[in-house]
């Protein structure tokens, strides 16, 4: 029997590292959330133009202050000051091999005003690139956290307002009564909307959770708090939430 979970928030960011936005409706296919991190920003190696590196949020926290949304056939980005670009990225026919957390992915380089705006915002030259479905995902197709675990962490840090779910960038927030009940779900199939997921491994957390999910400023020490009471992986990263794979595609919301 498959357990049915109540989803209280669903979301994603179309450009890796930009603000994690709530959505009323998510489409899940075999590879995960449609539209989730379909684009990334890359730093091109000037000494080897066919190679580069995907920008990491933990090294460029100001990215989370930027709103990005797919609108029709175009991509709209908005900086905190209100400057926007809304256009369809220009396909160049170029590709680049990028390092992404120790593995290589091939991305399609794009031209247009998006790259120029991000370069000005970050103070360094970057390019917008597009990934094949599933390529710019760290592990697991769908990320999930639970309401009881969020509430427990808020109690431990003494600041409920600091624990906006977007800080953890989950695709799904599901309702639970017991903190960390998700630790017991590994390998279990669950129903969300009309889709079915198989729970995989715990999500290891890094310092990204210490930055405000709208400004990018470091404001709380959640990582240290998590590490004080949660299981650690070999790299010393504490677990919070779980990854899941899509067993039966469908719509959530």
């Amino acid at each position: 029997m498959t357990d049915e979970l109540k989803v209280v928030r669903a979301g994603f960011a179309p450009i890796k590292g930009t603000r994690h936005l709530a959505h009323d409706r998510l489409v899940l296919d075999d590879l995960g959330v449609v539209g989730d991190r379909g684009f990334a920003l890359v730093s091109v190696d000037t000494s080897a133009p066919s190679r580069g590196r995907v920008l990491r949020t933990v090294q460029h926290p100001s990215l989370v202050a930027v709103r990005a949304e797919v609108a029709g056939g175009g991509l709209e980005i908005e900086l905190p000051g209100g400057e926007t670009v809304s256009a369809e990225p220009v396909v160049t026919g170029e590709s680049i091999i990028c390092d992404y957390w120790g593995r290589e992915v091939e991305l399609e380089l794009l031209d247009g005003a998006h790259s120029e705006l991000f370069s000005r915002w970050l103070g360094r030259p970057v390019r917008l690139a597009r990934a094949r479905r599933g390529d710019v995902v760290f592990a697991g197709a769908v990320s999930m956290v639970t309401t009881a675990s969020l509430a427990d962490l808020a109690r431990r840090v003494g600041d409920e307002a600091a624990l906006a779910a977007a800080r953890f960038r989950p695709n799904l927030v599901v309702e639970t009564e017991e903190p960390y009940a998700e630790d017991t779900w590994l390998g279990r199939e669950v129903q969300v909307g009309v889709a079915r997921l198989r729970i995989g491994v715990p999500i290891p957390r890094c310092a990204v959770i210490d930055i405000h999910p709208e400004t990018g400023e470091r404001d709380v020490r959640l990582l240290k708090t998590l590490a004080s009471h949660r299981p650690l992986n070999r790299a010393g990263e504490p677990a919070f939430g779980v990854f899941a794979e899509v067993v039966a595609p469908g719509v959530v919301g």
Side-chain angles (χ1 to χ4, degrees):
M1 181 176 178
T2 301
D3 295 319
E4 185 170 357
L5 300 179
K6 180 181 178 181
V7 176
V8 298
R9 184 188 187 275
F12 67 91
I15 303 176
K16 184 187 179 302
T18 57
R19 187 177 304 174
H20 195 273
L21 300 177
H23 291 267
D24 294 333
R25 180 177 181 271
L26 292 189
V27 177
L28 305 184
D29 66 9
D30 291 336
L31 295 174
V33 179
V34 175
D36 185 21
R37 292 168 289 181
F39 299 89
L41 293 162
V42 302
S43 174
V44 179
D45 186 344
T46 55
S47 64
S50 63
R51 301 192 67 85
R53 181 179 293 273
V54 175
L55 267 61
R56 300 177 180 180
T57 315
V58 70
Q59 295 171 336
H60 303 278
S62 63
L63 277 176
V64 304
V66 181
R67 293 178 60 95
E69 295 189 76
V70 175
L75 182 62
E76 181 177 299
I77 58 176
E78 180 183 356
L79 298 184
E83 186 177 3
T84 63
V85 166
S86 183
E88 186 173 350
V90 179
V91 176
T92 66
E94 303 173 78
S95 63
I96 186 171
I97 302 297
C98 286
D99 172 77
Y100 181 66
W101 291 102
R103 65 183 176 88
E104 292 189 339
V105 293
E106 183 177 2
L107 304 177
E108 178 186 29
L109 286 174
L110 304 169
D111 271 345
H114 305 90
S115 296
E116 298 170 6
L117 190 59
F118 274 114
S119 294
R120 292 201 305 274
W121 177 248
L122 296 171
R124 58 176 296 182
V126 296
R127 294 281 299 275
L128 182 67
R130 180 160 50 198
R132 290 190 296 262
R133 286 281 289 121
D135 271 359
V136 188
V137 176
F138 178 63
V142 180
S143 59
M144 182 185 301
V145 299
T146 66
T147 56
S149 298
L150 287 167
D152 178 76
L153 187 54
R155 178 183 61 80
R156 291 174 184 271
V157 298
D159 188 352
E160 185 174 348
L163 265 293
R167 188 181 290 271
F168 298 90
R169 307 179 71 82
N171 296 130
L172 301 173
V173 180
V174 299
E175 189 173 88
T176 53
E177 295 182 359
E178 180 185 349
Y180 313 111
E182 60 273 24
D183 292 348
T184 68
W185 297 349
L186 308 187
R188 181 184 301 180
E189 288 192 10
V190 298
Q191 191 83 21
V192 288
V194 298
R196 193 165 73 251
L197 307 177
R198 180 179 295 112
I199 305 300
V201 298
I203 301 176
R205 296 298 179 173
C206 68
V208 168
I209 65 174
D210 287 348
I211 65 177
H212 191 279
E214 294 184 1
T215 67
E217 297 177 355
R218 299 188 186 278
D219 59 349
V220 292
R221 301 190 68 182
L222 290 182
L223 190 65
K224 183 178 180 180
T225 301
L226 274 182
S228 70
H229 72 285
R230 294 291 294 148
L232 307 178
N233 65 11
R234 292 182 179 180
E237 299 165 321
F240 191 80
V242 288
F243 286 119
E245 303 294 336
V246 179
V247 176
V251 176
V252 178

